[in-house]
Amino acid sequence: MAIGAMRTVNQAAHDRQSARILRTALHLFATAGYGETSMAHVAKACGMQKASLYHYFRSKEEVLRHVVSSHLKRIHSSSRPVNAPNCTLNKCFLTVGRGFMKDMHDPERRMFLQLLIQDAGTNSFVRKTFFSMAMDAVREAGFALKPVVRFGGISQRGHDHFRCMHQFLSSLMRYA
């Protein structure tokens, strides 16, 4: 056990409460925005003391990291590769857009995508997560946007593609 870590007596109850906190935090992040939501807001919405919340998560960033990683796992586990090498950017947007619209039927995915879209411009962690997720989606779909990725990071053209994808998904979110 790490120094300062509290011992958990009932792991199942702890896991259920952690999941409840994450669902509540996702809702608050999606509706009020990550920057406007505090740990006190999350604790109050969960009906618990702020100090008790810190038994489950050390910081708001840790809560966000757990929210993002759990949803990325869900998205990656349900995605199906298209295996269409050298597809055009239009085809990529069409495939991503269809998947996005399908995800709008799931309230948790809708809130997660809303969080990514509304906070990607103001929060560097959310922005990096969005770009990472978009890049993985493109890669997993089998699209080869060759000049996008280069050694050491994403090229300017890659950033332009992902900015375009962000605007595209933002428009879909408003439509949905």
Side-chain angles (χ1 to χ4, degrees):
M1 186 179 336
I3 297 174
M6 296 178 125
R7 195 180 97 143
T8 301
V9 176
N10 183 338
Q11 189 62 45
H14 185 271
D15 292 346
R16 281 192 304 274
Q17 182 68 354
S18 293
R20 184 172 161 262
I21 291 167
L22 293 174
R23 281 191 309 274
T24 302
L26 172 60
H27 174 74
L28 292 172
F29 293 161
T31 56
Y34 175 77
E36 298 299 318
T37 303
S38 68
M39 288 293 271
H41 292 127
V42 175
K44 183 177 180 183
C46 289
M48 62 192 314
Q49 296 295 314
K50 184 177 167 185
S52 298
L53 183 59
Y54 285 106
H55 171 72
Y56 297 91
F57 301 99
R58 284 180 240 147
S59 65
K60 183 171 81 166
E61 185 176 89
E62 183 180 355
V63 172
L64 180 65
R65 287 182 191 279
H66 280 275
V67 165
V68 169
S69 68
S70 68
H71 282 275
L72 287 178
K73 286 176 189 170
R74 280 181 59 193
I75 289 168
H76 287 277
S77 69
S78 67
S79 66
R80 294 186 182 119
V82 175
N83 293 329
N86 298 318
C87 254
T88 65
L89 188 59
N90 290 343
K91 176 90 171 164
C92 176
F93 280 173
L94 184 62
T95 301
V96 169
R98 284 182 179 147
F100 181 88
M101 295 306 286
K102 186 177 135 197
D103 284 344
M104 289 295 100
H105 296 292
D106 179 347
E108 277 196 31
R109 283 196 180 183
R110 186 172 48 245
M111 284 188 289
F112 176 66
L113 292 168
Q114 183 177 342
L115 163 68
L116 285 180
I117 289 167
Q118 78 184 6
D119 284 342
T122 57
N123 182 282
S124 63
F125 176 70
V126 176
R127 182 174 42 258
K128 287 176 190 174
T129 301
F130 174 79
F131 284 141
S132 172
M133 186 177 115
M135 197 149 155
D136 288 346
V138 168
R139 195 177 300 119
E140 284 185 16
F143 299 110
L145 301 173
K146 299 228 187 277
V148 171
V149 182
R150 65 173 185 213
F151 181 75
I154 301 174
S155 67
Q156 181 58 45
R157 185 169 178 210
H159 279 289
D160 293 343
H161 283 241
F162 291 124
R163 281 190 192 106
C164 185
M165 176 105 48
H166 181 267
Q167 291 173 347
F168 172 69
L169 292 176
S170 296
S171 299
L172 286 177
M173 181 65 111
R174 285 184 190 92
Y175 172 76

